[in-house]
Amino acid sequence: MLFGLLGSIILGAIAGYIASKIMKENSGTLKNIILGVLGAFVGGAVFGLVGFTATSLIGSLIVSVVGACICIWLGRKLF
């Protein structure tokens, strides 16, 4: 349980960091973690609608990064 939560936070931080670099967004560590975790949900929903699922760590990271990029893009459009 604890390792799963800690692993999700670490994966979220990595995904948020990668997405912030791709989207040229200046953000701190906490924002990267939030973006990565939120991106995992958004990416999972988007990829699920298309019919794809992530079954590995690399696949989960890719889905999270894509979802975080979508979140950054939506944030820029809304605010």
Side-chain angles (χ1 to χ4, degrees), residues 1-16 32-38 40-41 57 60-61 64:
M1 169 81 178
L2 179 63
F3 182 71
L5 178 62
L6 185 61
S8 296
I9 291 172
I10 292 170
L11 184 69
I14 293 169
N32 284 341
I33 292 170
I34 293 169
L35 269 174
V37 172
L38 182 63
F41 288 113
L57 183 65
S60 296
L61 183 64
S64 297

Side-chain angles (χ1 to χ4, degrees), residues 7-8 11 14 16 20 25-26 29 32 34 37 39 41 44-45 48 50 56 65 74:
S8 296
L11 184 69
I14 293 169
S20 68
E25 179 81 15
N26 260 344
T29 304
N32 284 341
I34 293 169
V37 172
F41 288 113
V50 179
S56 67
V65 169
L74 279 174

Side-chain angles (χ1 to χ4, degrees), residues 24-73:
K24 295 177 178 54
E25 179 81 15
N26 260 344
S27 57
T29 304
L30 182 62
K31 187 175 177 183
N32 284 341
I33 292 170
I34 293 169
L35 269 174
V37 172
L38 182 63
F41 288 113
V42 172
V46 169
F47 278 88
L49 288 173
V50 179
F52 294 121
T53 58
T55 58
S56 67
L57 183 65
I58 300 298
S60 296
L61 183 64
I62 292 169
V63 167
S64 297
V65 169
V66 171
C69 287
I70 291 170
C71 291
I72 292 171
W73 179 79

